[in-house]
């Protein structure tokens, strides 16, 4: 029982991170119907940027760990947003009217480029930082096993919740959100009605990247280690989360993220940790095959 | 003259309904299409014509209703027997709502075109027509094995298919552009090529979704001639959706009118033209189209009587 | 617009580009985190490199702005390049003579690398490219898990050969058929999916296969992989020194290069067979149906084509060639392990097809030679190590360039490098060359 509870806590933490990445997938898919394959690598890149900035602030400027982390995270959000802006501009914008698989192939190319770019510039090995902010709250004690909840975990879940609320507000209430939904429905019509489609799509990529950067920073904080091949598997899992929640749906992405996080940790605990990725990949395949509109998505009627 | 759609139908639709969520796109529509007739399905935008087409050709699974079809003879008793069984077909009688799209084309011999032309754009006009004959050809190619070996029987079959395609290309005036990508042909040529491609599947019923859309007056007239010629050869009946009233009145033997998913009239062009419900649907519903509809009906009154 | 305006504008564009590159490069290029002897990460500054990047961005953008402004938007005309008729026979002759010529020129010792690494390895990739081209290039089904079928072939040989004692002649088709069977099994559930979802599901399946290979120790020996299975022999004669070997039988002095030469011709024959089958199939109803499927699936259904069968055959035949290639890979390497069948392998093969320009046999072959051969050549250039440091690994740059090339292809030549689609059948005469 204690172990189960602990795994639930760990799963929700991991799931929050997946959910943050999944929002990037789901927003881009919603607006231009493209599987942004490189998004996982953008997440990895953001973790590297946060790592380097953290080291820069602590080693060179002598800042304390906590403020340095917050500063690194915010700066990483800005820089990763710039990266994704540039990526969209260079690799995807021209392809919106190309043949249907062109954006996906381009995104695969971009994903390959980013992973190897970081490998070349930072080396292929694990980069680990000393653990920070390790205080925990004991939820149960005295049993065979102490269930703990760390401040980091609380922070991760709280940040995810706050960001979800903020973006829900943006999409529902602001001009940007209206423009996004207009482009989703019919980009050509939106353009005729004066919506700047290019700007709206670019902003969507920028927001997605900023959220991925939050996820990257929190990932670094929680697990303390990152390497250049870390974009692929978390990326696919976050995409799974987006699909499971119903692609195009914001709360769906977070719900999907939590589910994937839980499935992964519980599977790892009770079945086999070697095969924990198989669980996520199977969920992906099964969802796409049997319920492609996910838990909270709209069904897709084939137009003839 | 008694009506062929009553005496000798090729297609009989009974109480067909198609719902999308809460929206009823086609509501309890029943009609028949005569063997050897050109049957026109008309109605204002959003009347459910294309949805009905998609049900006939297996692209949509209708919510309820029956679609009976026979290239040879449609016998009421046989249809009832077949309906009670769980089978899709009995000899040459088919229940289309039980069949998949490709089976409908291959077994029941129903072919269709699309409102927004769907040619294989990157492939040549000739290749488009060859693909339509793929079924008979792949039998001759012996699951590709004989074809890979270049067997004489395969070569003969291929030559016959090319001849047939060439015949159609000549008929639609595209012999000179046989080897050009279909997507590079002018719009009117693409429309006719799509019809030729459907004809290459050797259909008993050819279903055309707005074949005259986007054509100029001369092209429309050529198209009408082509469709009449296909009908007069006696092998293929035609069912078409059309907005261009002059085309409808000039060539069709039978007109079925839909409005808001329901059938409001059914009869010869002359009967339909004088039907008050049809006039109301065309004149009353879409205010912006009023003068156009009036003109179209008046125009069709003239041309229709010329043609028949 | 005056010339001065023009230059000013270009400079402004270039300044913006420089700013963006500076933002992108900081801190990922400007600093590198490396663990010190206490295993704590320390930063190494690389400002010169950073400024080189910024300078390069400025110069390139400036030149581009001047050039594109000056050319006054010349209408981009796709140059049509027709393959001259002599190219095929000449290329074939070069391929046939290549190993003999290399041995003649360099001697059997030095030629080993040229026959094995360049010859055999590249040809295996050509075979893989032609196989995947059926699925992706012809049928338009984006298969991101092709390496899984390659793995099935390789592991099938490595597991079946020692267990049954069957030789590779018998096992080549077995490996192909097993992979085709897997292609069929993976293809079946994804039939109804749209293009991009289908791609993602194939990726998921391939990853599952790889994870199973890593963890199913009893059978696959995990990460360590399988080795010690029977190797290649020349119609029963093993390539070993001594009286029982191939060299002694044919009266040649023993040389290590004999085995790769034999393998080279074996792969060449199989690759040519794959080419023949692809080219012939394109003219048959099945191949035409694949291309029609790529163009418009709904129209296919309206013509009575059974799209499920068409997709399955495309998947299965593509997988068949991957299985054969996997068997050849096992014969060449002498061992198989999961690390050879990662997503990046699938991406590399996909890049070969994409760069070759969906559907073009010659393009795919050229792309394979270029992508695989060029990075091997980079490895040869030892002076690069003195420039970039000891841990310089060109393989990393290969994938970096592969990624960029895929992006570039999609943006500028989505139909490929050497792609002018010829109709598979003509009514009129061939156009004048």
């Amino acid at each position: 029982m204690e172990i189960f509870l602990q795994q639930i806590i760990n799963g929700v933490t991991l799931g929050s991170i997946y959910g943050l990445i999944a929002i990037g997938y789901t927003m881009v898919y919603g607006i231009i119907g493209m599987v942004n394959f490189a998004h996982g690598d953008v997440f990895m890149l953001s973790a590297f940027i946060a790592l380097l900035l953290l080291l820069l602030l602590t080693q060179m400027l002598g800042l304390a760990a906590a403020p340095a982390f917050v500063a690194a995270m915010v700066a990483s959000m800005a820089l990763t947003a710039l990266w994704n802006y540039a990526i969209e501009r260079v690799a995807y914008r021209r392809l919106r009217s190309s043949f249907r698989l062109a954006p996906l192939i381009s995104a695969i190319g971009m994903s390959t480029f980013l992973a190897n770019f970081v490998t070349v510039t930072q080396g292929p090995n694990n980069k680990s930082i000393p653990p920070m902010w390790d205080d925990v709250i004991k939820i149960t004690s005295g049993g065979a096993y102490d269930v703990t909840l760390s401040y980091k975990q609380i922070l991760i879940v709280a940040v995810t919740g706050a960001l979800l609320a903020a973006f829900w507000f943006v999409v529902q209430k602001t001009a940007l959100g209206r423009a996004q939904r207009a482009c989703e429905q019919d980009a050509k019509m939106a353009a005729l009605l004066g919506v700047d489609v290019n700007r709206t799509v670019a902003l969507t990529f920028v927001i997605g990247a900023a959220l991925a950067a939050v996820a990257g920073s929190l990932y670094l904080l929680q697990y303390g280690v990152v390497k250049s091949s870390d974009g692929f598997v978390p990326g696919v899992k976050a995409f799974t989360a987006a699909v499971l929640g119903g692609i195009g749906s914001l709360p769906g992405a977070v719900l999907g993220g939590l589910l994937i996080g839980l499935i992964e940790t519980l599977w790892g605990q009770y079945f086999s940790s070697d095969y924990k990725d198989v669980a996520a990949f199977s969920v992906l395949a099964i969802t796409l095959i049997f319920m492609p509109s996910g838990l909270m998505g709209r069904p897709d009627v084939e137009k003839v | 003259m008694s009506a062929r759609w009553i005496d000798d139908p090729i297609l009989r639709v009974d109480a067909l309904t198609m719902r999308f969520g809460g929206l009823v796109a086609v509501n309890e529509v029943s009609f028949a299409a005569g063997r050897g007739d050109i049957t026109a399905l008309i109605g204002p935008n959003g009347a459910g014509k294309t949805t009905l087409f998609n049900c006939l050709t297996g692209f949509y699974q209708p919510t309820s209703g029956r679609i009976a079809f026979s290239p040879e003879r449609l016998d009421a008793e046989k249809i009832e027997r077949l309906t009670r069984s769980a089978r899709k077909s009995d000899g040459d009688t088919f229940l289309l709502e039980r069949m998949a799209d490709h089976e409908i084309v291959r077994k029941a011999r129903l072919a269709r075109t699309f409102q927004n032309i769907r040619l294989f754009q990157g492939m040549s006009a000739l290749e488009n027509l060859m693909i339509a004959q793929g079924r008979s050809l792949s039998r001759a190619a012996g699951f590709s094995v004989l074809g890979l070996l270049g067997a004489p029987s395969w070569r003969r079959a291929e030559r016959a298919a090319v001849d047939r395609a060439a015949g159609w290309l000549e008929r639609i005036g595209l012999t000179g552009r046989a080897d050009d990508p279909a997507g590079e042909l002018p719009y009117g040529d693409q429309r006719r090529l799509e019809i030729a491609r459907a004809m290459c599947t050797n259909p008993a019923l050819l279903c055309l979704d707005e074949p005259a859309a986007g054509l100029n007056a001369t092209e429309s007239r050529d198209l009408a001639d082509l469709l009449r010629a296909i009908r007069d050869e006696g092998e293929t009946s035609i069912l078409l959706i059309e907005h261009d009233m002059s085309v409808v009145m000039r060539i069709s033997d039978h007109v079925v009118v839909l409005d808001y998913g329901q059938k409001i009239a059914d009869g010869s062009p002359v009967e339909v033209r004088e039907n008050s419900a049809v006039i109301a649907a065309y004149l009353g519903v879409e205010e912006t189209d009023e003068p156009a509809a009036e003109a179209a009906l008046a125009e069709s009154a003239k041309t229709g009587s010329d043609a028949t | 617009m005056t010339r001065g305006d023009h230059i000013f504008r270009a400079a402004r564009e270039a300044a913006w580009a420089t700013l963006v590159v500076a933002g992108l490069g900081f801190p990922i290029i400007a600093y590198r985190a490396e663990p010190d002897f206490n295993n704590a990460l320390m930063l190494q500054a690389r400002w010169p490199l950073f400024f080189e990047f910024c300078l390069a961005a400025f110069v390139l953008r400036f030149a581009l702005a001047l050039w594109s402004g000056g050319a006054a938007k010349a209408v981009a005309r796709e140059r049509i390049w027709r393959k001259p008729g002599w190219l095929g026979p000449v290329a074939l002759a070069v391929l046939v003579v290549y190993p003999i010529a290399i041995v003649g020129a360099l001697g059997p010792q030095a030629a080993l690398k040229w026959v094995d690494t360049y010859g055999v390895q590249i040809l295996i990739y050509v075979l893989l490219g032609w196989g995947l081209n059926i699925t992706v290039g012809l049928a338009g089904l984006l298969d991101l898990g092709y390496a899984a079928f390659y793995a099935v072939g390789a592991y099938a040989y490595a597991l079946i050969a020692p267990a049954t004692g069957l030789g590779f002649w018998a096992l080549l088709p077995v490996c192909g058929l097993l992979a085709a069977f897997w292609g069929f099994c993976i293809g079946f559930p994804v039939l109804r999916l749209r293009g991009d979802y289908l791609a993602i599901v194939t990726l998921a399946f391939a990853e599952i296969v790889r994870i199973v290979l890593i963890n199913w120790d009893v059978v696959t020996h995990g990460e360590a992989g399988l080795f010690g299975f029977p190797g290649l022999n020349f119609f029963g004669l093993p390539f070993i020194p001594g009286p029982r070997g191939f060299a002694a039988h044919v009266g040649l002095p023993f040389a290590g290069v004999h085995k790769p030469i034999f393998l080279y011709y074996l792969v060449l024959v199989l690759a040519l067979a794959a080419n023949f089958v692809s080219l012939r199939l394109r003219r048959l109803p099945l191949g035409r149906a694949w291309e029609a499927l790529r163009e418009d699936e709904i129209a296919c259904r309206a013509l009575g084509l059974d799209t499920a069968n068409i997709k399955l055959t495309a998947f299965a035949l593509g997988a068949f060639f991957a299985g054969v290639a996997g068997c050849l890979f096992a014969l060449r390497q002498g061992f198989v392990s999961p690390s050879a069948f990662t997503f990046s392998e699938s991406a590399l093969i996909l890049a070969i097809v994409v760069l070759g320009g969906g559907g073009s046999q010659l393009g795919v072959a050229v792309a394979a030679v270029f992508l695989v051969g060029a990075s091997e050549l980079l490895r040869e250039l030892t002076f690069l190590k003195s420039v970039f440091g000891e841990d310089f690994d060109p393989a990393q740059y290969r994938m970096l360039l592969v990624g960029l090339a895929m992006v570039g292809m999609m943006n500028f030549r989505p139909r490929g490098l050497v792609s002018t689609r010829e109709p598979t059948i003509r009514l009129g005469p061939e156009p004048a060359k």
Side-chain angles (χ1 to χ4, degrees), chain A residues 86-125:
Chain A
I87 290 170
E88 193 270 333
R89 189 74 191 77
V90 171
Y92 311 141
R93 181 171 296 181
R94 227 183 302 249
L95 300 179
R96 273 181 234 150
S97 55
S98 190
F99 68 102
R100 65 198 161 87
L101 289 173
L104 177 57
I105 294 175
S106 189
I108 291 168
M110 196 34 94
S111 158
T112 308
F113 167 75
L114 286 176
N116 287 283
F117 172 76
V118 175
T119 308
V120 166
T121 52
Q122 300 292 330
N125 302 325

Side-chain angles (χ1 to χ4, degrees), chain B:
Chain B
M1 188 182 97
S2 72
R4 259 187 301 217
W5 62 91
I6 299 169
D7 299 341
D8 183 19
I10 185 168
L11 170 78
R12 213 180 88 196
V13 175
D14 293 307
L16 189 76
T17 299
M18 180 77 212
R19 272 196 206 94
F20 296 104
L23 176 81
V24 186
V26 176
N27 191 4
E28 302 262 320
V29 170
S30 303
F31 72 93
R35 186 179 317 284
D37 275 352
I38 294 181
T39 307
L41 200 57
I42 66 170
N45 284 328
K49 304 181 298 286
T50 299
T51 306
L52 181 67
F53 246 49
N54 285 338
C55 291
L56 293 183
T57 48
F59 280 84
Y60 291 162
Q61 175 69 45
T63 314
S64 65
R66 181 173 67 189
I67 309 165
F69 180 85
S70 169
E72 301 303 329
R73 223 185 86 75
L74 209 48
D75 179 73
E77 240 175 77
K78 207 169 175 182
I79 298 175
E80 291 307 323
R81 261 205 318 277
L82 189 55
T83 309
R84 282 192 301 274
S85 75
R87 285 180 302 160
K88 297 174 181 173
S89 64
D90 178 6
D92 55 15
T93 304
F94 301 88
L95 288 184
L96 301 187
E97 79 277 9
R98 295 182 182 174
M99 297 168 71
D101 41 27
H102 59 91
E103 289 178 325
I104 290 178
V105 182
R106 278 166 25 190
K107 297 187 180 147
R109 292 174 48 222
L110 210 88
R112 74 170 290 178
T113 64
F114 295 88
Q115 202 170 336
N116 45 344
I117 308 172
R118 283 185 174 273
L119 288 168
F120 304 117
Q121 306 248 332
M123 306 177 79
S124 73
L126 177 62
E127 284 175 309
N128 268 274
L129 300 187
M130 295 296 285
I131 291 162
Q133 304 177 61
R135 188 197 164 216
S136 51
L137 271 180
S138 61
R139 221 180 302 121
F143 297 104
S144 301
V145 176
L146 291 177
L148 276 178
L149 300 174
S153 64
W154 153 249
R155 292 222 191 98
R156 268 196 307 278
E158 190 188 32
R159 214 168 307 126
V162 172
D163 286 345
R164 187 181 160 85
W168 271 105
L169 286 169
E170 195 177 337
R171 207 166 160 182
I172 58 173
L174 283 179
T175 306
R177 306 206 60 180
D179 300 326
D180 292 345
E184 289 175 11
L185 298 174
Y187 188 81
D189 289 346
Q190 294 197 20
R191 279 252 175 246
R192 274 175 300 153
L193 181 61
E194 201 191 15
I195 294 172
R197 187 180 68 176
M199 286 305 293
C200 279
T201 64
N202 192 25
L205 179 66
L206 176 64
C207 301
L208 306 171
D209 196 346
E210 298 204 24
L215 300 188
N216 64 31
T218 328
E219 288 173 328
S220 297
R221 213 158 23 236
D222 290 349
L223 176 81
D225 291 342
L226 176 67
L227 297 185
R228 256 195 307 237
I230 290 173
R231 173 193 61 187
D232 293 342
E233 281 155 24
E235 299 289 319
T236 306
S237 315
I238 295 176
L239 176 67
L240 65 112
I241 294 175
E242 191 46 71
H243 270 135
D244 185 337
M245 280 301 165
S246 64
V247 173
V248 169
M249 292 300 165
R250 198 182 311 141
I251 65 171
S252 44
D253 304 295
H254 174 199
V255 179
V256 175
V257 190
L258 294 186
D259 190 22
Y260 289 113
Q262 274 166 326
K263 186 172 88 171
I264 57 169
D266 183 345
S268 70
V270 183
E271 287 163 6
V272 165
R273 195 166 56 218
E274 282 151 15
N275 184 308
S276 57
V278 177
I279 296 171
Y282 268 85
L283 302 189
V285 175
E286 284 176 65
E287 286 175 37
T288 47
D289 273 357
E290 205 170 295
E294 214 166 337
L297 281 173
E299 161 79 4
S300 61
K302 273 184 282 163
T303 50
S305 46
D306 292 350
T308 40

